[in-house]
């Protein structure tokens, strides 16, 4: 997905696909582990998913894609 996005000019070309893949799945894995194992859930799972995806999508977008799509916070 990262490579395809880079080829289409949607994702920054300076990002290494393997690193981005591992960072994204690492964040999701940590939240999933927290949600399953925590007895006191301080974070809403839906809010966590929105925040994580927003950080990655906005952080990975190329300048051209950012100007065209203006993803809301």
């Amino acid at each position: 997905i990262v490579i395809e996005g880079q080829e289409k000019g949607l994702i920054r070309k300076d990002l290494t696909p393997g690193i981005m893949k591992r960072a994204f799945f690492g964040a999701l894995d940590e939240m999933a582990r927290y949600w399953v194992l925590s007895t006191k859930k301080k974070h809403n799972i839906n809010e966590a998913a929105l925040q994580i995806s927003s950080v990655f999508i906005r952080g990975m977008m190329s300048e051209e894609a950012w100007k065209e799509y203006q993803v809301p916070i």
Side-chain angles (χ1 to χ4, degrees), residues 54-69:
S54 176
V55 166
F56 277 91
I57 290 169
R58 294 179 77 207
M60 292 174 59
M61 287 179 80
S62 66
E63 287 186 40
E64 296 81 16
W66 179 251
K67 289 175 187 174
E68 184 172 343
Y69 296 104

Side-chain angles (χ1 to χ4, degrees), residues 40-55:
K40 295 182 181 180
K41 294 172 177 55
K42 297 179 184 177
H43 308 289
N44 176 287
I45 193 80
N46 293 325
E47 185 61 30
L50 287 173
Q51 287 184 29
I52 291 169
S53 61
S54 176
V55 166

Side-chain angles (χ1 to χ4, degrees), residues 15-29:
L15 300 176
T16 304
I19 294 172
M20 292 301 97
K21 172 183 71 175
R22 285 171 180 81
F24 183 68
F25 283 109
L28 294 179
D29 183 55

